[in-house]
Amino acid sequence: MTSTTSSESTQKAPAKDPWDLPDVSGLVVGVLGGTGPQGKGLAYRFARAGQKVILGSRAAERARSAAEELGLGIEGADNAECARRSDIVIVAVPWDGHGATLEALREDLAGKLVVDCVNPLGFDKKGAYALKPEEGSAAEQAAALLPDSRVTAAFHHLSAVLLIDPEVEEIDTDVMVLGEERADVELVQALAGRVAGMRGIFSGRLRNAHQVESLVANLISVNRRYKAHAGLRVTDV
């Protein structure tokens, strides 16, 4: 029998390449709030990349109408059916209805990977400003309401105008992805990478979601001043 030296037995395995991400091409993506600008834009981009997509809405007929408008094999359904039939569920509902929508879908979202992209914002004559939910962020509210789901946060800083524009070939931006489990974060990173021009970047745990959600208020100010559709790039990674 060959003996093993102490140094050999304690040698660490090579660090995992952070860009070695899973294949998500076969997963079904559901979009709650899929008839709104952000939801429709995300659905269009993922379907255009070859992903199976289901649009969710409170009214199934409204979702089917929006899906037919987008084409690309996108289906429409009410929110509960969308949640049940999807592997990854993106929450793109208005902030005002965020809590009530998720609470009603707790059972339908059990066991699902949920991606919250909601930005709690207020608006006054000075422009957009960030709101601070009691739980700390929209993503943390989602995690509290969905104890049987795997909640992540991503896709906050994307322009709905660019997402839905068929003339835009690439979305020039990085996507900050937050979550508690690295495997779940990597699935969302991989999903972001399905869209031409887009990267998913690990950006910490859900406790750091508030500042990511809040940054949208700054981007709105940028866009208004420069008449742009600003995104973000993370340098040196």
Side-chain angles (χ1 to χ4, degrees):
M1 178 178 292
T2 304
S3 62
T4 302
T5 67
S6 175
S7 61
E8 289 174 333
S9 63
T10 58
Q11 187 174 16
K12 292 183 179 180
K16 183 179 181 296
D17 180 354
W19 296 112
D20 180 15
L21 301 173
D23 178 12
V24 297
S25 59
L27 299 183
V28 178
V29 178
V31 184
L32 304 180
T35 57
Q38 194 78 356
K40 285 176 70 174
L42 286 168
Y44 173 73
R45 284 294 154 179
F46 291 129
R48 182 166 163 168
Q51 214 75 34
K52 174 61 184 173
V53 177
I54 301 174
L55 282 185
S57 176
R58 287 178 296 177
E61 188 54 44
R62 187 179 177 196
R64 285 192 283 267
S65 177
E68 184 177 350
E69 177 188 337
L70 291 173
L72 299 172
I74 298 172
E75 294 184 42
D78 63 38
N79 281 332
E81 181 183 348
C82 173
R84 290 193 299 268
R85 293 178 55 199
S86 302
D87 301 303
I88 300 178
V89 181
I90 298 172
V91 181
V93 301
W95 168 241
D96 288 348
H98 182 263
T101 298
L102 295 185
E103 191 168 16
L105 295 172
R106 180 177 299 180
E107 292 185 8
D108 301 299
L109 289 169
K112 305 293 183 177
L113 176 55
V114 175
V115 188
D116 200 297
C117 70
V118 175
N119 303 301
L121 297 176
F123 295 86
D124 60 19
K125 63 182 180 181
K126 295 182 179 180
Y129 60 94
L131 302 176
K132 186 69 176 286
E134 182 180 347
E135 298 84 356
S137 64
E140 288 169 295
Q141 183 183 89
L145 292 171
L146 303 173
D148 299 318
S149 303
R150 295 137 54 208
V151 176
T152 60
F155 305 117
H156 301 90
H157 307 137
L158 306 180
S159 164
V161 174
L162 296 182
L163 289 173
I164 203 67
D165 188 344
E167 299 299 317
V168 175
E169 296 292 332
E170 297 187 357
I171 304 297
D172 181 23
T173 194
D174 286 332
V175 173
M176 302 181 78
V177 185
L178 304 97
E180 297 305 311
E181 299 295 334
R182 185 63 60 89
D184 293 337
V185 170
E186 289 181 349
L187 285 170
V188 181
Q189 287 181 263
L191 181 63
R194 296 276 289 159
V195 178
M198 196 180 290
R199 293 189 309 172
I201 305 291
F202 169 67
S203 302
R205 294 180 179 270
L206 289 185
R207 69 181 184 179
N208 293 321
H210 172 65
Q211 54 264 39
V212 173
E213 296 168 0
S214 300
L215 189 57
V216 173
N218 302 90
L219 291 177
I220 290 173
S221 296
V222 170
N223 290 336
R224 286 180 173 174
R225 174 62 61 90
Y226 298 101
K227 301 188 186 317
H229 302 292
L232 296 178
R233 280 294 186 195
V234 179
T235 62
D236 201 34
V237 295

